[in-house]
Amino acid sequence: MTGVVEVNFDGLVGPTHNYAGLAAGNVASRRHAGRVSHPREAALQGLEKMRDLSRAGYAQGVLPPQQRPDLGFLRRLGFTGSVGEVLSQADRQAPALLRAACSASSMWTANAATVTPSVDAPDGRVHLTPANLQSGLHRCLEPVTTGRILQAIFADAERFAHHAPLPATPAFADEGAANHTRLCAEHGAPGVHLYVYGREALGQAPGPRRFTARQTREASEAIARQHGLGEAQTVLARQHPEAIDAGVFHNDVIAVGNGPVLLYHEWAFADEDATLAALREKMPEPLIPVRVPAEAVSLDDAVATYLFNSQLLSNPDGSMTLVVPGECEHNEAVWRTLQDLILAGHNPIGEVRVKDVKQSMQNGGGPACLRLRVALGEAERAALGGRVLMDDALHDALVGWVGRHYRDRLAPEDLADPLLVDESLAALDELTGILQLGAIYPFQRGA
Ligand code: SUG
């Protein structure tokens, strides 16, 4: 496969973006519960990140949001009648279900799927498994439509292999690429896959005490098996339970890898030495670990600023750029560590770009949560369906679309407003036209 680059597919923030505090173990989501959100600003912040990175020469894609409120979910739970009746019954009888049905959480596409590039798969195809996201009620609504969207974009069966999500049961709780890091010399070279899990469903490893770990070892193993990866290509590591209890609900909140570089906090892994040793043993090229000790950045600061939820991007000259959330700039210890330890250290990271994704951050999603990494060769990129690769024209079309359809603000009580349904469906219908994706949404398929 020639011309392999990493395409970052960012999730477009949907029109119902709101703060309902739904996410377990996610400090920011809980802290902002009940606040007024700003969907238009949220979507524009995401689009600005996409445009900035595509203009800087990084391959950038976009994934559409999901249909919300999820009326099909509410109807399945016994709410009946017109749209207005379903919403008002749910609001009165089970407001938590209404909030789950309205979450715009599909924006965090690092949780959409796990992807293995064709260079690593035995059949030479790109493999994709939508995450079952079964550990959160609002998120377990995503996999079916995620699968449909991925099938529409990665449609060529000779190049792309789609797997069903793992069984949606606690033993196979899977949160997708947020717990998966591929290390390699460069994107087109064979990689070693680091899967990080928080608990064992069938084994005895001690889990966190305060929060439930979201990813199981059994889920990570099953994904590697589905994608045909052998033992020589995979490393499994347990997340440090204390990090999970401090609010590190995914590995990508405490570590990020790219090429041979692994930037991580000393509390990322339960057994740091064994994890690095296993990577070194399996990687053909030397691992470049960039370790941030707790005395430089505390776990609390890591969680508050999302320093590690950064995108680490490869540049043509071999250097790398770290795309960090704006919150890092306002924390002295984190900013100093970025300058003195990360940028000044002996590693390829030579530049920091700061991005404001505050609307997403307040729900616990930083720059890295907002994107799904897919390493693709030239021919694979040419085979993509739809109009999903970002350029200025697509950016401008999407900014115009947001301006036409999104509300400036959403308060918790607005979620029961039937007009929000009409507005969202009109927006999504137009969006499938812009992205040329066909009927991906339930309402377009007569459901
Ligand atoms: O699953 N937040 C998401 C944030 C996901 C971040 N993703 C990565 N780290 N890759 C979550 O915790 C909050 C939604 C709400 O409260 O409405 C939420 O789901």
Side-chain angles (χ1 to χ4, degrees):
M1 183 60 54
T2 53
V4 178
V5 297
E6 177 180 270
V7 186
N8 281 277
F9 286 89
D10 278 44
L12 192 50
V13 179
T16 63
H17 160 65
N18 73 95
Y19 298 122
L22 302 177
N26 174 336
V27 177
S29 157
R30 289 288 156 99
R31 182 173 311 129
H32 294 93
R35 301 251 186 118
V36 169
S37 67
H38 297 284
R40 187 187 305 147
E41 190 187 357
L44 294 178
Q45 285 174 347
L47 282 164
E48 156 56 25
K49 167 162 105 73
M50 294 183 233
R51 179 176 61 174
D52 182 49
L53 295 180
S54 85
R55 278 194 173 168
Y58 304 106
Q60 180 67 54
V62 62
L63 294 178
Q66 301 215 352
Q67 180 183 330
R68 298 290 181 271
D70 189 340
L71 293 169
F73 166 66
L74 293 175
R75 289 191 191 281
R76 241 162 73 204
L77 300 179
F79 299 106
T80 54
S82 67
V83 168
E85 283 161 352
V86 168
L87 294 174
S88 69
Q89 284 169 42
D91 191 29
R92 267 197 326 272
Q93 297 170 28
L97 295 180
L98 176 62
R99 289 194 287 269
C102 290
S103 174
S105 54
S106 66
M107 72 175 84
W108 299 296
T109 51
N111 306 119
T114 308
V115 182
T116 297
S118 54
V119 61
D120 295 337
D123 64 357
R125 293 189 293 170
V126 177
H127 286 246
L128 306 101
T129 305
N132 61 28
L133 290 169
Q134 73 83 54
S135 57
L137 176 62
H138 64 299
R139 301 218 63 180
C140 78
L141 307 178
E142 297 172 36
V144 172
T145 299
T146 297
R148 201 174 291 131
I149 291 169
L150 294 177
Q151 303 245 13
I153 295 170
F154 302 91
D156 181 347
E158 296 206 343
R159 298 183 187 279
F160 305 115
H162 295 267
H163 300 270
L166 298 179
T169 187
F172 288 107
D174 173 28
E175 301 268 319
N179 294 315
H180 168 242
T181 305
R182 177 173 180 267
L183 294 151
C184 51
E186 55 186 28
H187 294 304
V192 168
H193 296 253
L194 171 62
Y195 295 92
V196 183
Y197 60 91
R199 65 186 166 91
E200 294 180 346
L202 308 172
Q204 300 296 326
R209 289 167 204 216
R210 185 169 168 223
F211 297 127
T212 309
R214 295 199 196 177
Q215 180 92 21
T216 67
R217 180 185 177 107
E218 289 77 2
S220 299
E221 287 170 340
I223 299 278
R225 243 186 332 262
Q226 277 187 336
H227 293 199
L229 297 177
E231 228 175 89
Q233 296 168 286
T234 58
V235 171
L236 275 123
R238 188 160 62 89
Q239 233 191 313
H240 205 298
E242 284 183 37
I244 297 175
D245 279 339
V248 181
F249 54 94
H250 290 136
N251 175 62
D252 71 2
V253 176
I254 195 95
V256 57
N258 183 56
V261 176
L262 182 63
L263 169 63
Y264 70 99
H265 188 273
E266 80 165 283
W267 290 91
F269 309 109
D271 191 338
E272 177 188 355
D273 291 343
T275 305
L276 296 194
L279 288 171
R280 287 194 168 108
E281 189 197 317
K282 298 187 179 183
M283 286 168 63
E285 61 289 319
L287 173 73
I288 306 178
V290 184
R291 178 184 197 263
V292 176
E295 63 180 16
V297 174
S298 67
L299 265 183
D300 285 347
D301 277 352
V303 170
T305 62
Y306 268 38
L307 166 63
F308 298 91
N309 198 256
S310 300
Q311 292 179 246
L312 191 50
L313 302 171
S314 299
N315 299 319
D317 65 0
S319 71
M320 294 186 193
T321 294
L322 193 67
V323 181
V324 304
E327 284 69 5
C328 291
E329 236 178 348
H330 307 296
N331 180 304
E332 211 191 304
V334 165
W335 196 245
R336 200 174 336 110
T337 300
L338 263 169
Q339 308 301 324
D340 299 350
L341 192 152
I342 299 176
L343 285 178
H346 288 290
N347 66 66
I349 308 171
E351 184 197 25
V352 166
R353 269 175 191 261
V354 181
K355 287 281 111 206
D356 176 9
V357 288
K358 193 155 187 264
Q359 284 290 312
S360 166
M361 282 287 284
Q362 293 183 161
N363 250 338
C369 301
L370 285 162
R371 61 92 169 92
L372 180 67
R373 311 166 84 168
V374 189
L376 294 172
E378 215 173 303
E380 289 163 344
R381 291 196 298 284
L384 294 177
R387 180 189 177 204
V388 291
L389 292 179
M390 190 57 64
D391 53 24
D392 278 4
L394 180 56
H395 168 270
D396 294 350
L398 292 172
V399 166
W401 169 80
V402 169
R404 284 193 294 284
H405 295 285
Y406 278 50
R407 292 192 186 186
D408 166 45
R409 65 196 299 280
L410 263 189
E413 59 274 17
D414 296 331
L415 300 181
D417 177 2
L419 283 179
L420 185 61
V421 176
D422 296 342
E423 292 163 20
S424 299
L425 299 193
L428 297 182
D429 213 26
E430 190 184 330
L431 181 66
T432 46
I434 297 173
L435 299 180
Q436 300 168 13
L437 284 176
I440 51 174
Y441 294 116
F443 78 95
Q444 295 170 319
R445 302 163 66 89

